[in-house]
Amino acid sequence: VQLQASGGGLVQAGGSLRLACAASVSTSSRYAMGWFRQAPGKERDFLGAINWNGGRTYYADFVKGRFTISRDNANHTVYLQMNSLKPEDTAVYYCAARYVPYSETVYVTSAMYQYWGQGTQVTVSS
């Protein structure tokens, strides 16, 4: 499966962005999805994950209440809605997929994902 992340850009602190991750094949029922980010000189951080049907989500503590993951399996797309953005949210954002048909499990470490998008840059100005 190929993943294409989009929606990044430049936004002022306090603003919002919605990232999208489009898959080349149907992700419905087959793939758990996750979002990560990596700032220059730092490790890749887990942000959140969603199971195959959107019934279960899990977030890193530092984005809870600000970021929301959702998915539209009919359109093979997963979203990351980001609100109340801060300058420290500046990073390249990546989506990832793991093949786990009909699983309720979500995955929080990058090593658990098999497929990655190319990343989209998010810059938050102060």
Side-chain angles (χ1 to χ4, degrees), residues 6 14 20 33 45-46 52-53 63 73-74 96 106 113 115:
S6 62
M33 305 292 292
D45 289 330
F46 167 77
W52 71 276
N53 66 353
V63 302
N73 283 343
V106 294
Y113 288 89
Y115 306 98

Side-chain angles (χ1 to χ4, degrees), residues 45-49 58-65:
D45 289 330
F46 167 77
L47 300 176
Y58 185 84
Y59 298 93
D61 286 343
F62 62 89
V63 302
K64 282 181 181 177

Side-chain angles (χ1 to χ4, degrees), residues 28-117:
S28 60
S29 82
R30 296 189 179 98
Y31 294 91
M33 305 292 292
W35 283 97
F36 294 77
R37 73 185 185 191
Q38 189 166 18
K42 295 187 177 181
E43 295 184 351
R44 187 168 295 188
D45 289 330
F46 167 77
L47 300 176
I50 190 167
N51 77 320
W52 71 276
N53 66 353
R56 186 180 181 193
T57 56
Y58 185 84
Y59 298 93
D61 286 343
F62 62 89
V63 302
K64 282 181 181 177
R66 297 194 301 130
F67 292 8
T68 303
I69 295 176
S70 61
R71 66 189 299 161
D72 178 356
N73 283 343
N75 291 300
H76 313 166
T77 304
V78 176
Y79 300 98
L80 181 67
Q81 177 68 44
M82 305 186 295
N83 299 325
S84 302
L85 284 163
K86 307 173 183 179
E88 51 263 43
D89 292 319
T90 295
V92 178
Y93 284 67
Y94 298 91
C95 59
R98 177 183 172 95
Y99 182 73
V100 278
Y102 297 105
S103 173
E104 298 301 314
T105 305
V106 294
Y107 299 87
V108 302
T109 62
S110 58
M112 294 181 173
Y113 288 89
Q114 300 156 316
Y115 306 98
W116 290 84

